[in-house]
Amino acid sequence: MRAAPYLVGAVAGYLADARLGDPRRGHPVALFGTAAGRLERRLWRDRRAVGAVYTGLAVGTVAGGAALAARAVRRSPLAAAAVTASATFTVLGGTSLTREARTIGDSLAAGDLTAARERLPHLCGRDPSGLDEQQIARAVVESVAENTADAVVNALVWGGIAGVPGLLAFRAVNTLDAMVGHKSERYRRFGWASARLDDVAGWPGARLTALLAVAASDSPARTWRVWRRDGSAHPSPNAGQAEAAFAGALGVRLGGTLRYGDRVEHRPVLGADHPPVTSRDIDRACRLSRRVSTLALAVTTTARLAALTLRTRRPR
């Protein structure tokens, strides 16, 4: 069966991430980031067209290399499963995400606000210097929600659609967005293509994340209501979907004013009729993230299995 190597490999890669998390050194995503940084320094111009070329070269190289690797092992189910497992393990970041979140939660529980502030930049780009305990807890829960979609669900969605090239290409797109997709003066034009491509690539997984949060919630009706009411209020077309669904599933309030260095954003409140998030909600968010991730693995592998089975049985 053509889908069996992908199914076995995706499950093996997911379990490897659950057990091991990201390697501390030599992570392939970090190596890609280093290469992309060097390419940026060679190509950078304050123009959208140049940024589009940069994005196409970086993502196209990864997707093309992955397609060649998948093609090279297509006649060996064992080798194909191994390549899929390696790619899945490479792109998933769910375990490292929840480890970082819980580390900050433990610091808050111990009353060590300084340690929590020092650790927050490992999880998100917000300026932690002026944040109190509640604001740090909110930042952590919002990051867990958004990165469950980006670091797990979206990668599995694109793996389900396009196999190994989909897995690796999505991670390349998401990494470029983190590198050059923000609205600084340097990247406002050059990073435009990377940011827009990430919006497009992240669209299906963000909504699947929200749907799975409804399924995994102790209160599906509340989760659905908050998601449908507040998900589109967020300035990001995708992050708000996951954050609103998590707010509903956890029964907490997210959103509001936040600071990224010198830039301040005033975002709409998500779940306004619920109490503010606290440090005790961090572990709850991590457990919800794991349930959503496991459901995403089941949904995407089942969908790929069904699609390839139907394609094989279709009369020629």
Side-chain angles (χ1 to χ4, degrees), residues 87-172:
T88 304
F89 175 58
T90 294
V91 303
L92 296 185
T95 297
S96 295
L97 168 67
T98 54
R99 282 179 183 171
E100 288 290 346
R102 285 188 167 115
T103 297
I104 298 170
D106 290 344
S107 296
L108 292 177
D112 193 344
L113 189 59
T114 299
R117 285 173 175 163
E118 289 175 351
R119 199 69 191 178
L120 187 63
H122 291 260
L123 193 64
C124 64
R126 301 182 195 182
D127 179 4
S129 58
L131 300 184
D132 60 21
E133 177 181 338
Q134 191 278 323
Q135 291 168 325
I136 290 177
R138 189 191 109 201
V140 171
V141 171
E142 289 174 354
S143 294
V144 168
E146 180 178 358
N147 285 297
T148 297
D150 281 343
V152 183
V153 179
N154 258 310
L156 291 173
V157 165
W158 284 102
I161 293 171
V164 170
L167 286 165
L168 295 176
F170 174 77
R171 179 53 59 219

Side-chain angles (χ1 to χ4, degrees), residues 2 308 310-316:
R2 291 175 58 194
L308 291 178
L310 289 173
R311 188 183 306 172
T312 301
R313 292 179 178 176
R314 186 179 301 166
R316 295 179 182 271

Side-chain angles (χ1 to χ4, degrees), residues 14-206:
Y14 181 88
L15 293 175
D17 175 70
R19 179 68 180 86
L20 302 173
D22 292 336
R24 295 184 181 276
R25 295 181 180 178
H27 195 296
V29 174
L31 296 177
F32 168 77
T34 299
R38 290 173 179 168
L39 181 63
E40 179 210 332
R41 289 190 290 275
R42 293 179 66 89
L43 293 183
W44 186 89
R45 301 289 188 278
D46 191 20
R47 291 158 50 191
R48 284 186 177 183
V50 177
V53 170
Y54 165 77
T55 301
L57 284 173
V59 176
T61 299
V62 170
L68 289 174
R71 183 177 179 82
V73 299
R74 72 186 188 281
R75 297 186 184 279
S76 169
L78 184 60
V83 168
T84 301
S86 298
T88 304
F89 175 58
T90 294
V91 303
L92 296 185
T95 297
S96 295
L97 168 67
T98 54
R99 282 179 183 171
E100 288 290 346
R102 285 188 167 115
T103 297
I104 298 170
D106 290 344
S107 296
L108 292 177
D112 193 344
L113 189 59
T114 299
R117 285 173 175 163
E118 289 175 351
R119 199 69 191 178
L120 187 63
H122 291 260
L123 193 64
C124 64
R126 301 182 195 182
D127 179 4
S129 58
L131 300 184
D132 60 21
E133 177 181 338
Q134 191 278 323
Q135 291 168 325
I136 290 177
R138 189 191 109 201
V140 171
V141 171
E142 289 174 354
S143 294
V144 168
E146 180 178 358
N147 285 297
T148 297
D150 281 343
V152 183
V153 179
N154 258 310
L156 291 173
V157 165
W158 284 102
I161 293 171
V164 170
L167 286 165
L168 295 176
F170 174 77
R171 179 53 59 219
V173 170
N174 193 240
T175 302
L176 288 184
D177 179 61
M179 292 176 63
V180 304
H182 43 87
K183 296 179 180 179
S184 67
E185 284 304 311
R186 177 176 176 84
Y187 297 125
R188 190 176 301 276
R189 296 182 181 85
F190 182 82
W192 178 86
S194 292
R196 297 292 77 75
L197 182 59
D198 185 68
D199 287 343
V200 172
W203 195 96

